[in-house]
Amino acid sequence: MNSTVRTATDSWSPKEQALLHTLRPMSAQDEASGDMPSIITRGEGVHIFDIDGRRMIDCVGGLWCVNVGYGRSEIIDAIMSQLRELAYISIFPGSSNVTSIRLADKICEIASDEAISKVFFGSNGSDAIENSFKLARQYWKLVGRSEKYKVVSLRGAYHGTHFGCMAANGLASAFRRSYEPMPPGFVNVETFDSYRPLIDGIDVEAQVELCIKLLERTIEYQDPETIAALIAEPVQGGGGMHIPPPSYWRRLREVCDHNDILLISDEVVTGFGRSGTMFGARGWNVKPDIMCCGKGISGGYAPLSATLVNARVADAWNDTASDHSFVAAGYTHSGNPVACAAGVAALDIVLREGLVENAREVGGYFLQRLRGLMDRHEAIGDVRGKGLMMTIEMVEDRKTKAAFGHDHPFPSSIAKFCRENGVWLRQVDHKFIISPPLTFTRQHVDQVVEVLDLAYSKTPIR
Ligand SMILES: Cc1ncc(COP(=O)(O)O)c(C=O)c1O
């Protein structure tokens, strides 16, 4: 293959062109790596179809975002009718549009338990996170404490790819190395790990106390007077879905209150039902000051995200005389009416079809069935999750918990077998990340578990 631009008269094949003209995100770029993407052409319910016509159950939910399933006609109709009525109008000074106003109202109603009173729109989760940092810093300036600017984040966290997000991420340095230097003002601390805790064999509550102690020490060392916010995911997704006990988030809230630090909940994955409660933090009985939502907010039907602030934070902007009251953040597509139409329709479905409860119920069943596989297959070291977000962690040795190395073919062979037998999984090194649409049923779970069982039975480790 070469990268010569073709004319419209040439026969054109997406398979041949797939690697030519797109710098692919989160990917190695060399063709030699054999990283040929599956080209997906259609979605229906919880199923996707590839270019060769293969039908697969989507255990990835697009990318944790297709929460209401594919092909939902009421979302498509809402988008089409918005496009016909008004495809675009900015919500920068001087104009607004009805649909973004409606969606902001709806979100505040859904998040009334958290006293959310204002919504700031973006297009991607990374926008929601970046804006949460800006709004948190601005809040402290508005209330006359400009020296509070730092952000504390947790080891293993994934908050996106904008510079602030990257600086707050707690994943391996490979995520940052090519883009350094990072902006200053970000501090990362240890967090809860249910599988390989900081100290082997430590009891769950003792581990919580240890993590909280490390956090308090870090805050003390940094000086709480310099810290604007602490950001955390209610359930770390990319970080491996270690499920802390409820005491952990309660303690995070206490530490924030004690030190006058805003608590930002990264709900990009957990927002609107995925972890079995409307918001992940609600599942821990904790009210954050700021919540960042993306992904499922539009069911994946349009790029849309939102930073939600509670009344305490929002009220700081009531002082319109302040030098800091101008919100100098926003995008061409903040409050895009077509994306917001998708949001209104998707959230209606989540509420009307009880998808939050379904995620909790079917997720519990899924977890139990996957744990059953551990009794039959030594290579499964751990299965953990909450609601419809789960991970299967594969190990070479259960005793030592030694994970399969980066280049070991076993995890990708399992994923390939599943694909060929109708189950679409997301593999990240030695883990499968499972995040299907929230419309999943027990029958879907049974089909997936049956294929996984076969895959582990038939695939040699070497
Ligand atoms: C917890 C979390 N926060 C933020 C993001 C960034 O969202 P986006 O990729 O839409 O920018 C992600 C993406 O996966 C995420 O999982």
Side-chain angles (χ1 to χ4, degrees):
M1 284 194 270
N2 64 53
S3 55
T4 314
V5 176
R6 287 161 183 255
T7 67
T9 53
D10 288 331
S11 66
W12 187 85
S13 150
K15 276 190 181 173
E16 277 178 29
Q17 298 292 109
L19 301 180
L20 286 186
H21 296 303
T22 307
L23 258 179
R24 285 163 299 127
M26 295 289 175
S27 310
Q29 302 297 320
D30 57 318
E31 292 174 32
S33 69
D35 181 23
M36 174 54 101
S38 296
I39 301 177
I40 307 298
T41 53
R42 197 162 74 81
E44 190 184 307
V46 302
H47 291 94
I48 50 176
F49 300 78
D50 73 11
I51 197 164
D52 300 315
R54 184 183 289 142
R55 178 184 192 253
M56 294 171 283
I57 296 189
D58 178 11
C59 286
V60 192
L63 198 54
W64 328 73
C65 58
V66 184
N67 288 4
V68 296
Y70 296 89
R72 300 301 302 245
S73 53
E74 63 191 276
I75 307 182
I76 298 163
D77 292 347
I79 290 173
M80 294 304 284
S81 94
Q82 182 64 56
L83 276 169
R84 284 200 193 91
E85 189 88 9
L86 177 71
Y88 179 84
I89 201 78
S90 156
I91 63 169
F92 277 22
S95 57
S96 188
N97 65 70
V98 174
T99 319
S100 69
I101 298 169
R102 179 169 296 136
L103 180 59
D105 273 3
K106 182 176 271 305
I107 292 171
C108 288
E109 195 186 320
I110 293 173
S112 57
D113 281 4
E114 286 77 14
I116 293 300
S117 79
K118 295 236 159 121
V119 174
F120 187 86
F121 288 116
S123 298
N124 286 289
S126 301
D127 301 346
I129 302 291
E130 201 77 0
N131 288 314
S132 75
F133 300 154
K134 286 185 185 164
L135 295 174
R137 285 184 176 180
Q138 193 169 7
Y139 165 81
W140 288 114
K141 288 186 168 49
L142 280 163
V143 300
R145 296 173 71 180
S146 302
E147 67 287 2
K148 282 173 90 67
Y149 69 93
K150 291 178 193 163
V151 173
V152 178
S153 62
L154 303 180
R155 196 63 48 85
Y158 181 70
H159 297 300
T161 53
H162 295 343
F163 266 102
C165 307
M166 275 194 294
N169 284 344
L171 292 167
S173 61
F175 267 86
R176 297 184 299 274
R177 233 174 18 225
S178 304
Y179 308 102
E180 284 173 339
M182 291 293 119
F186 290 83
V187 183
N188 195 262
V189 298
E190 278 295 345
T191 189
F192 186 86
D193 184 323
S194 58
Y195 192 48
R196 297 183 189 85
L198 277 177
I199 298 172
D200 271 347
I202 190 171
D203 149 79
V204 164
E205 292 298 338
Q207 193 188 162
V208 167
E209 282 315 308
L210 177 60
C211 292
I212 295 298
K213 185 108 328 215
L214 290 171
L215 172 65
E216 287 174 330
R217 290 264 173 113
T218 304
I219 289 171
E220 188 189 341
Y221 174 72
Q222 292 289 335
D223 184 351
E225 278 311 306
T226 68
I227 301 176
L230 180 145
I231 184 167
E233 296 151 86
V235 175
Q236 283 193 342
M241 283 184 248
H242 299 282
I243 314 297
S247 55
Y248 181 61
W249 260 72
R250 283 204 299 274
R251 298 284 279 119
L252 289 183
R253 179 73 263 187
E254 281 166 20
V255 171
C256 286
D257 289 344
H258 183 72
N259 292 286
D260 240 352
I261 292 171
L262 296 177
L263 176 60
I264 303 173
S265 182
D266 178 345
E267 302 270 355
V268 170
V269 164
T270 49
F272 305 110
R274 179 154 297 284
S275 62
T277 46
M278 184 55 82
F279 296 102
R282 202 180 279 182
W284 303 130
N285 249 323
V286 167
K287 298 181 200 308
D289 299 294
I290 302 180
M291 299 201 285
C292 306
C293 299
K295 297 194 184 271
I297 191 173
S298 68
Y301 283 68
L304 179 68
S305 66
T307 307
L308 285 47
V309 298
N310 68 7
R312 169 197 176 185
V313 174
D315 287 352
W317 272 267
N318 291 343
D319 176 10
T320 48
S322 161
D323 286 348
H324 296 292
S325 66
F326 186 82
V327 176
Y331 314 95
T332 303
H333 287 291
S334 297
N336 175 294
V338 178
C340 290
V344 171
L347 295 184
D348 276 345
I349 293 176
V350 169
L351 294 172
R352 199 186 54 242
E353 296 187 357
L355 295 186
V356 179
E357 296 72 27
N358 192 63
R360 187 161 60 236
E361 199 274 315
V362 176
Y365 177 68
F366 208 162
L367 194 64
Q368 172 210 324
R369 294 280 340 256
L370 290 175
R371 286 205 173 126
L373 290 179
M374 288 182 68
D375 300 336
R376 297 170 39 73
H377 304 290
E378 271 294 304
I380 304 180
D382 196 27
V383 172
R384 49 186 184 264
K386 190 167 188 294
L388 277 170
M389 53 190 296
M390 277 151 280
T391 192
I392 299 176
E393 177 153 356
M394 286 161 278
V395 291
E396 282 199 85
D397 182 335
R398 263 201 197 170
K399 269 206 194 76
T400 62
K401 300 182 181 174
F404 286 103
H406 188 63
D407 296 328
H408 199 291
F410 183 70
S412 54
S413 304
I414 298 282
K416 184 165 178 282
F417 181 98
C418 288
R419 228 170 18 249
E420 287 169 356
N421 288 276
V423 172
W424 176 253
L425 284 174
R426 177 164 177 230
Q427 181 211 338
V428 179
D429 295 332
H430 62 291
K431 289 183 201 142
F432 292 132
I433 311 277
I434 298 180
S435 53
L438 309 189
T439 50
F440 233 52
T441 63
R442 284 177 174 239
Q443 287 73 24
H444 296 133
V445 170
D446 291 341
Q447 286 165 27
V448 170
V449 172
E450 191 182 324
V451 171
L452 273 167
D453 193 18
L454 263 179
Y456 283 106
S457 303
K458 292 192 176 251
T459 309
I461 289 188
R462 285 256 169 226

